[in-house]
Amino acid sequence: MELLVASAIGVLTSAGIYLMLRLRTFPVILGISLLTYAVNVFLFASGRLTVGAPPVLRDDMTVYTDPLPQALVLTAIVISFGMTAVVVMIGLGAFLGSNDDHVDDQPEGSEGQP
Amino acid sequence: MSLFILVALPFLGALLPGLMNAAGRAACAGVTFTVSLAAFIGLLTNLPAILAGEVVTARVDWIPSLGMNFTLMLDGLGFFFALLILGIGLLIIAYARHYLSRNDNMGEFFTYLLLFQGAMVGIVLSDNILLLLVFWELTSLSSFLLIGYWKHLPEGRQGARMALTVTGMGGLAMIGGMLILGQIAGSYDLSVILQNRELIQSSPLYLPALILILLGCFTKSAQFPFHFWLPHAMAAPTPVSAYLHSATMVKAGIFLMARMWPVLSGTPEWFAIVTTAGLVTMVLGAVIALFKHDLKALLAFSTVSHLGLITMLLGTGTAFGAMAAMFHILNHATFKAALFMSAGIVDHEAHTRDIRRLGGLRTLMPITFTIATLAALSMAGIPLLNGFLSKEMMLEEANHTVLFGTPWLVPALATFGSLFSAAYCFRLIGHTFLGPVRDDYPTKPHDPGTGLWLPPAFLVTLVVVIGVAPFLAEPFVKLVTASVLGDAAEVPKAYFKIWHGLVPALFMSIAAVVGGLLMMAIFNPALRFWDALPRPEAKVIFEAIVAAAARLAQTLILPLHNGSFTRYAAIGTVAIVGAGFYAWATGTVGAPTREIQAAGIVPIVGWTLLVAATVALVIFHRNRFLSLILIGIVGLMVSVGFVFFSAPDLAMTQFTVEVVTIILLLLALNFLPNRTPVESSLLRRVRDMGVAIVGGLATFALAFHYLLRDAVDTPISEFHLANSYKGGGGTNVVNVILVDFRGFDTYGEIIVLGIAALLIYALTETLLDGPVRARLLNRIPDQPRAGDMHPMMMVVLTRVIMPVVLMVGFYIFLRGHNEPGGGFIAGLIVSIGVVMQYMASGFSWASARLKYPYHGVIGAGVLVAGFTGIGSWFVGKPFLTSDFTYVRIPPFEKFELATAALFDVGVFLAVVGAVMLSLESFSRLARRAHTDDNDHPMDIDPSRDEETPPTSGTAQEGV
C-alpha cells in the first residue's frame, strides 16, 4: 500500500511538473493543481498510513492515526483553492487584456494570436 | 505620563489629521497641535524626576529571545532632545498652519509630521538599541515623505530619494555596528552597554563597531563626506526644513554620538575620526554657505557647518567639549529654526528666496527683519546673544585640542570656520534686509500675519534671554551634560558667562567677526573667484554612482530574470531535486522500521483510476474541457484515498473544494480558448518530460522512504490526542487542532483566504474598468449558447434542495467538534448550495435575493474569529484560549457549548464569503460578456430561434 501511495505521489508530481512547463496558462494551472494534490497527499502521508482508525476519539479505540498532518492539510486544501482562484484570475485577466494566454513574456512586436 | 504613552501619542495622533482633513484647515492643524501639546505636557510631567537626577524607565519584553525589548528610558539627555522635538514641533505646527497654501493637502502633511515626531521621540527615549534602530529607520522613512511632500516638484522627489538613500545606507551600516556592540556587551539594553566602557573599548571588534555606528551618525547628521544630501532636502516645505533639517532629525546622529559618548569616546580612533570629520564639515559648510544665493541653501550649508562644529566638540572626548556641544545644540536649535522660519516668511511674502533678488526688506518687513537679524547675529557669535556663548566655549575647547600633533591646526581652522560663519550671517542680513528698497520683487513683500511670525519670535526671545542671562540655561545644560557623561567623567565646573576676561577665545572671536566683516567688503571679487573655481558637484557624483549601481544590477539580473516562467520553473525543479539528492547522498539512510501493508483490491482499483486519469490528463491536456473532467476524477480519487486512510475530514474538504474548483475553472474556460495549440518542439517536450520524470521519481523516493520508517521523535500528535477531549472538549481531534490547539494558524489562514478573494474581486474590478470591458462587451462566444439558459428541471431541483443543503451544512458544522465536519467543510457545502442557485437561476436572479455583500461576510468571519480570540484576554488568558461547558435545556439532551464553536463560526463565514466572492467575481466577467442575461429564471433564449415570439419566458415565473 505504501508503494501505491508513494507512486501515486510520484505520478501526480511528474504530471504536475510536465504540465507546469507548458506554454499556455490553462495547462499550467492544471499542472499546479496536480502539484497541489501531490503536495497535500505527501504531507498527509507524513502521518504514515493507517486504515480504519480516524482521529475521532472513541471509548473502544486505542489506536488513532496522526491527526496533525490532517489538520494542516485541511487548511492547505482550502487555501490552495484560494490560490488557484487567484492564479486563474491573473491568467484570465492577462488573456482578456492582451488576447494572449502565453505564460512567458513574448518577444517584442509579436502580437497575440487572434 | 507613562513613557509608552509619550511615544505612542504622536503615532496614534497621526491617524487624526487625515480624518480631520474634511473639517477644514484650522481643525486639522488644531488636532495636530493638541496631540503634540498633550505629548509635550506629558513630557513635562516627568520634569521633577529628571531634575531630581532620576532616570524614568518603562519596560515591556517584546522578543526576549532576540534581546529585543520595548524598553524606554528618560534621562537628562533624552529629556532635552524630547523637549526640543516636541517644543519646536509645536511652533512648527502653528507655523505650518499658516504657511501651507490652500492647494496643499494639510492632513497628509500633518500625518507625516506626527509620524516623524513619534519616531524622533522614540529614538531619544529608547533604552534598547534594536528598538532605537527601528525608530531610526522610521525617521528616515517619514522624512522621505516630508521632503517629497510637494510631489509635483522634481527637486522634491529627487531630494527625498537622495536623503533616503544616504540616510538609509547609513542606517544599514549602523544596524551592523549596533549588532556588534550588542554582541560585545552581551546585551542590547543601552543601560547595560553604557556600563561596559572598558569591555567595549578593549574588544577587537570596537573599531568596526565604531566605524559602522559613526557611518550611521554621519549620514544622518550630514557630516562630510555625506553632507550633500541636506541642501537637496531643502526642496521640502520650509516648516519641514526648519523642523527636520535644523532642529531635530539632523541632530539624531549627534544625539546618538552623545548617547554613546561614555562607551565610544576617549579613544584615539574616536578622536581622530569624529574630530576630523566635524572640523572638515564645519569649515567646508561655512565656506560653501557664504556663496549660496538661495536663502534656504545658505541656511542648509550653515546647518551642515554647525553640525560639524557640534560633532567636533563631541569628538574631542573631553567633558568640557561635551558640555559645549550640548549648549550649542540648544542654541543652534533656537536660532536656526527661527532663521528657517524667517526665510520661509520671506519666500512666502516676496515669492523668491534668491538673495540676489532681495534687499531692502528692512523697512518693508520690520518684524521679520528684527527676528532674522537677532537670530543671524546670534549665529555669527555676537555677544549678548546665545550663539556667542557656545561659540566661545567651542573656541576655548579648540584651543586645547591637538590634532595630528599640530597644536595650531584646530584653533586656526575653528577660527577660519567662524570667520566664514560670521561672513554668511552678515551677508544674510545685509543682502536680504539692508540696502535700498527695490522695485523688482516678484511680489511686494510685507510682514506676514501673526501666525507666521509668532513662532520664530518666540524662539528669538529665547535666543536673547539665554544670551543675556546665560546662568538661566546653565543648570539645565549641566544636567543634560551629566547624563551624557554618565560615569565616564565629571561635569566641568566652568560657569556660563558672557565675559571670561581677555582669554584667547575672545581674540579668536573678535578675529572671526572682524574677518567676517572684511569678507563682506570683498564679497564680490571673492564670489567671482569662487565661481571660477572648479568644484565637484555632489549631486552629479551621487547620481553617477546610483546609475552605475543600477546598471550593475541590471547586467547581473536581466539575463537571469528574463520573464520566462517556464524557465524558472524548470530551473527551480532541477535545483530542488539536486539539493534533495545531495542531502540524500551525503546523509545517512536508516533501515526501514515499518512493514509494508498489503494492498487489497480496493486500493489497487483506486490507484489505477488515479494514475490512469493523470496519465490521460497529460496526454489529452490540449483538449481543455476533457482535461477538466479528468482532473475532476483525480480529485475524486484523492478524496476517496483520504477516506480510506482514516481522514474523513480531509475527504469531505477535498470533495467540496473539488466542486468549487471545477466550477471556477469552467467559468474561466468560458473565456479562454478551448484548445491548447502545439507549440513546443518534440525535443523540448522530451526535455520537459525528463525534468518531470526526475521530479516525480524524487518525490516517489522521498515518500516511499519515510512511509517505511517511523518518525525520529514522538510526534506532538500524542499530546493532541491525549488532550483533545480533556482540554478542548471535542472528540474530533482534527477539528480541535484547527479551532483550538492551532487556532492561531487557522485564524491566519482564513485571513489569507479572505485576502485572496478580495484580490480576485479587485482584479475583476480593474478588468471591468479598463479596456477589457469594451472587449468583453464585443465578445462573440465561441460556443453556441444553450437554448434554455436556465433549465426548468435544474431550477426546480436546486431551489427545492437549497434548504436541505443548508440543513446539511448546519449539521456538519454543529457536529464538527465531535464528528468529522466543522466550519471549513460546512462553509464549502453552503457555498456550493448558493452557487447552485447562481448556476440554475442565473446571476441576476440569485444576486437580487442575496442581501449580504460577500466582502462583509469575509470581514464578519475574521472579526468573529478575532473577537473570540480577544475574549480570552478578559479572563486573563492568552489570545484564543478556548473554554467549554455542558448545558442542558429541557427537553433537549445535554449538549456542549464551546468558545471554539464561535471561532468556527468565524471560519465558516470567512470560507463562505471567500468562495462566493471569488466565484461571483468570475461570473461578473461572464455577465459583462453577454449582457442579455435575463432577470427571469427558466427563460428561453429568444434570439436562438427566430420563429418563437420573444416573450422572454415571463410565463414561467414563480414556479
Side-chain angles (χ1 to χ4, degrees):
Chain A
M1 223 146 49
E2 277 77 2
L3 196 63
L4 292 183
V5 172
S7 58
I9 294 172
V11 169
L12 285 173
T13 314
S14 273
I17 293 175
Y18 181 74
L19 289 180
M20 195 175 74
L21 295 177
R22 298 303 89 208
L23 297 174
R24 301 290 181 138
T25 49
F26 198 76
V28 170
I29 291 165
L30 291 183
I32 293 174
S33 298
L34 283 183
L35 271 182
T36 310
Y37 291 133
V39 170
N40 284 343
V41 174
F42 180 85
L43 288 179
F44 166 71
S46 70
R48 309 306 185 272
L49 302 178
T50 317
V51 179
V56 178
L57 303 178
R58 296 266 182 279
D59 290 337
D60 51 347
M61 291 278 289
T62 51
V63 178
Y64 301 102
T65 185
D66 193 340
L68 189 62
Q70 295 195 13
L72 299 183
V73 171
L74 198 153
T75 49
I77 293 173
V78 182
I79 294 272
S80 58
F81 163 75
M83 287 326 295
T84 309
V86 170
V87 173
V88 170
M89 190 70 225
I90 292 171
L92 192 57
F95 176 70
L96 290 174
S98 62
N99 217 8
D100 176 17
D101 65 342
H102 275 97
V103 174
D104 296 347
D105 289 352
Q106 292 301 297
E108 292 292 321
S110 69
E111 272 300 299
Q113 287 82 357
Chain B
M1 189 187 282
S2 153
L3 298 186
F4 288 125
I5 303 177
L6 200 58
V7 174
L9 208 56
F11 284 113
L12 296 178
L15 298 170
L16 296 177
L19 294 177
M20 296 301 284
N21 219 2
R25 293 148 54 82
C28 193
V31 73
T32 315
F33 192 84
T34 316
V35 168
S36 279
L37 189 65
F40 186 71
I41 294 170
L43 180 73
L44 290 185
T45 57
N46 288 305
L47 184 60
I50 300 296
L51 287 180
E54 292 171 26
V55 176
V56 185
T57 57
R59 178 186 184 93
V60 169
D61 282 354
W62 183 11
I63 314 175
S65 53
L66 289 181
M68 184 157 186
N69 300 319
F70 210 100
T71 43
L72 299 176
M73 153 179 100
L74 185 69
D75 62 351
L77 180 65
F79 183 85
F80 172 46
F81 272 86
L83 195 72
L84 283 181
I85 294 159
L86 293 170
I88 295 189
L90 282 175
L91 299 177
I92 295 290
I93 292 165
Y95 178 82
R97 154 74 184 89
H98 300 278
Y99 182 84
L100 293 178
S101 80
R102 294 199 172 276
N103 302 327
D104 296 324
N105 183 345
M106 199 172 253
E108 189 187 342
F109 182 82
F110 281 129
T111 302
Y112 296 160
L113 199 75
L114 282 177
L115 281 180
F116 170 78
Q117 198 177 57
M120 273 312 291
V121 174
I123 289 185
V124 301
L125 295 192
S126 292
D127 185 25
N128 184 293
I129 50 177
L130 298 178
L131 185 68
L132 189 145
L133 285 172
V134 173
F135 286 120
W136 186 275
E137 298 297 334
L138 275 179
T139 57
S140 292
L141 290 177
S142 50
S143 80
F144 169 77
L145 293 171
L146 281 169
I147 298 170
Y149 171 70
W150 281 329
K151 301 179 190 70
H152 55 277
L153 295 181
E155 305 88 58
R157 297 196 300 267
Q158 288 161 8
R161 208 167 53 204
M162 189 191 276
L164 184 68
T165 313
V166 175
T167 54
M169 298 288 267
L172 215 57
M174 207 173 74
I175 291 176
M178 288 295 195
L179 290 178
I180 297 177
L181 195 64
Q183 286 297 319
I184 301 175
S187 166
Y188 291 107
D189 282 346
L190 260 177
S191 35
V192 178
I193 292 173
L194 292 183
Q195 303 296 324
N196 285 309
R197 178 187 170 97
E198 281 76 28
L199 178 72
I200 290 167
Q201 296 200 346
S202 62
S203 163
L205 287 173
Y206 164 75
L207 191 59
L210 176 72
I211 291 175
L212 288 172
I213 292 175
L214 285 180
L215 271 177
C217 296
F218 285 0
T219 49
K220 199 79 157 184
S221 287
Q223 294 299 298
F224 179 81
F226 307 110
H227 61 286
F228 57 88
W229 69 265
L230 185 59
H232 289 287
M234 290 298 145
T238 300
V240 175
S241 312
Y243 193 35
L244 273 67
H245 305 130
S246 74
T248 55
M249 189 181 85
V250 289
K251 301 261 170 69
I254 292 189
F255 166 80
L256 200 68
M257 284 191 262
R259 190 41 110 204
M260 295 286 173
W261 196 88
V263 286
L264 293 183
S265 77
T267 61
E269 296 93 343
W270 165 278
F271 176 63
I273 300 174
V274 180
T275 312
T276 313
L279 205 57
V280 171
T281 313
M282 176 172 119
V283 174
L284 200 70
V287 174
I288 299 176
L290 178 62
F291 299 108
K292 285 288 165 189
H293 303 303
D294 179 358
L295 268 181
K296 274 176 80 177
L298 188 155
L299 290 175
F301 276 105
S302 91
T303 306
V304 168
S305 165
H306 279 265
L307 292 169
L309 188 161
I310 301 169
T311 306
M312 182 199 83
L313 285 173
L314 286 170
T316 60
T318 65
F320 186 78
M323 185 166 78
M326 289 307 115
F327 193 29
H328 197 67
I329 290 172
L330 175 66
N331 297 339
H332 179 253
T334 51
F335 66 66
K336 188 53 68 63
L339 276 173
F340 264 115
M341 289 196 233
S342 309
I345 292 174
V346 170
D347 188 19
H348 201 259
E349 300 303 328
H351 286 139
T352 181
R353 301 193 306 249
D354 192 332
I355 297 179
R356 289 168 299 185
R357 300 192 61 188
L358 294 167
L361 296 184
R362 175 174 54 94
T363 47
L364 297 172
M365 308 172 79
I367 302 177
T368 317
F369 165 67
T370 315
I371 294 169
T373 305
L374 283 173
L377 287 178
S378 171
M379 182 155 78
I382 302 298
L384 295 182
L385 296 166
N386 63 1
F388 168 75
L389 300 164
S390 44
K391 190 162 268 187
E392 281 290 87
M393 288 165 80
M394 181 275 286
L395 292 171
E396 173 70 25
E397 176 70 12
N399 255 337
H400 301 296
T401 308
V402 182
L403 193 64
F404 305 129
T406 324
W408 56 266
L409 184 67
V410 179
L413 281 176
T415 315
F416 183 71
S418 301
L419 188 152
F420 273 88
S421 177
Y424 66 65
C425 294
F426 296 144
R427 179 170 181 231
L428 177 86
I429 301 167
H431 288 189
T432 310
F433 293 101
L434 302 182
V437 173
R438 299 168 63 152
D439 48 13
D440 59 346
Y441 305 116
T443 48
K444 183 86 175 160
H446 54 82
D447 264 324
T450 326
L452 277 180
W453 66 255
L454 202 59
F458 178 80
L459 288 171
V460 164
T461 314
L462 283 179
V463 166
V464 177
V465 168
I466 298 175
V468 174
F471 53 85
L472 290 176
E474 184 179 328
F476 184 67
V477 173
K478 286 198 167 164
L479 182 83
V480 174
T481 312
S483 64
V484 171
L485 301 179
D487 306 329
E490 287 289 308
V491 180
K493 291 279 180 289
Y495 296 109
F496 291 14
K497 284 189 299 199
I498 301 172
W499 179 251
H500 284 276
L502 294 171
V503 289
L506 183 69
F507 295 115
M508 288 157 80
S509 235
I510 294 171
V513 171
V514 174
L517 285 171
L518 285 176
M519 196 74 212
M520 278 309 294
I522 57 158
F523 179 72
N524 284 334
L527 179 65
R528 276 197 294 280
F529 175 69
W530 174 258
D531 284 341
L533 217 58
R535 297 186 304 273
E537 178 60 51
K539 190 177 177 188
V540 177
I541 299 171
F542 172 80
E543 277 169 0
I545 293 174
V546 170
R551 262 199 311 280
L552 180 68
Q554 275 170 355
T555 47
L556 281 178
I557 287 167
L558 283 185
L560 291 174
H561 209 270
N562 64 350
S564 164
F565 168 78
T566 319
R567 187 172 146 187
Y568 308 155
I571 294 174
T573 310
V574 173
I576 292 168
V577 171
F581 183 77
Y582 174 77
W584 181 285
T586 54
T588 48
V589 180
T593 54
R594 290 172 75 98
E595 292 289 310
I596 290 195
Q597 302 173 45
I601 186 75
V602 179
I604 292 178
V605 170
W607 182 86
T608 315
L609 276 171
L610 179 80
V611 171
T614 314
V615 173
L617 175 59
V618 172
I619 295 172
F620 298 114
H621 78 268
R622 299 189 187 285
N623 182 341
R624 293 181 169 181
F625 188 66
L626 180 62
S627 45
L628 262 190
I629 298 174
L630 288 169
I631 204 166
I633 298 177
V634 174
L636 210 59
M637 293 326 294
V638 170
S639 336
V640 171
F642 284 142
V643 177
F644 188 78
F645 292 112
S646 320
D649 288 278
L650 281 193
M652 288 160 90
T653 316
Q654 181 73 63
F655 187 75
T656 40
V657 163
E658 208 49 50
V659 175
V660 285
T661 310
I662 296 291
I663 293 174
L664 179 95
L665 288 174
L666 270 175
L667 281 169
L669 203 52
N670 186 16
F671 297 98
L672 292 169
N674 283 320
R675 287 194 62 81
T676 308
V678 183
E679 280 178 310
S680 37
S681 61
L682 184 67
L683 186 71
R684 178 174 178 143
R685 271 177 277 163
V686 169
R687 186 202 73 181
D688 291 349
M689 228 173 274
V691 173
I693 288 172
V694 168
L697 280 177
T699 45
F700 163 72
L702 185 58
F704 191 60
H705 175 259
Y706 75 52
L707 278 174
L708 290 185
R709 282 157 184 83
D710 282 311
V712 288
D713 214 336
T714 319
I716 193 177
S717 317
E718 300 292 323
F719 170 83
H720 292 149
L721 286 166
N723 288 288
S724 174
Y725 188 70
K726 268 191 298 180
T731 55
N732 180 6
V733 187
V734 173
N735 183 268
V736 176
I737 291 175
L738 282 179
V739 299
D740 195 335
F741 292 129
R742 303 201 61 85
F744 212 179
D745 283 3
T746 312
Y747 184 54
E749 272 149 1
I750 59 173
I751 292 175
V752 171
L753 194 64
I755 291 172
L758 291 176
L759 177 61
I760 291 169
Y761 176 77
L763 282 171
T764 314
E765 284 295 302
T766 318
L767 280 180
L768 288 179
D769 279 349
V772 171
R773 182 163 178 262
R775 195 175 293 196
L776 280 173
L777 287 171
N778 296 326
R779 182 173 174 275
I780 301 155
D782 52 357
Q783 302 266 341
R785 302 278 103 184
D788 48 348
M789 282 186 177
H790 309 299
M792 188 201 286
M793 286 290 281
M794 196 166 162
V795 171
V796 174
L797 203 63
T798 50
R799 288 190 198 174
V800 170
I801 211 172
M802 181 72 181
V804 182
V805 173
L806 292 181
M807 188 62 109
V808 169
F810 188 60
Y811 171 68
I812 293 278
F813 174 81
L814 277 188
R815 69 177 217 153
H817 215 43
N818 292 317
E819 298 287 330
F824 274 110
I825 303 167
L828 287 163
I829 290 176
V830 169
S831 307
I832 292 173
V834 181
V835 169
M836 284 198 304
Q837 307 305 314
Y838 276 99
M839 285 166 62
S841 305
F843 185 90
S844 47
W845 184 88
S847 52
R849 280 154 185 81
L850 275 163
K851 283 185 204 148
Y852 309 106
Y854 297 122
H855 323 73
V857 177
I858 299 176
V862 173
L863 282 181
V864 166
F867 281 125
T868 311
I870 288 174
S872 47
W873 286 348
F874 292 106
V875 290
K877 295 279 174 60
F879 187 65
L880 274 175
T881 310
S882 75
D883 197 12
F884 62 94
T885 182
Y886 294 91
V887 289
R888 185 168 192 280
I889 306 172
F892 301 107
E893 288 282 315
K894 187 175 86 164
F895 64 95
E896 181 191 0
L897 277 182
T899 58
L902 204 58
F903 181 76
D904 224 7
V905 170
V907 174
F908 167 81
L909 288 176
V911 170
V912 172
V915 171
M916 289 315 301
L917 188 62
S918 319
L919 292 179
E920 192 212 22
S921 300
F922 276 90
S923 346
R924 270 164 16 101
L925 283 180
R927 197 166 133 71
R928 184 57 66 189
H930 39 91
T931 39
D932 54 348
D933 185 13
N934 205 305
D935 201 23
H936 302 289
M938 293 175 276
D939 57 340
I940 304 294
D941 181 4
S943 61
R944 211 172 105 100
D945 189 2
E946 286 302 325
E947 289 158 29
T948 318
T951 54
S952 36
T954 42
Q956 283 102 331
E957 170 79 293
V959 171

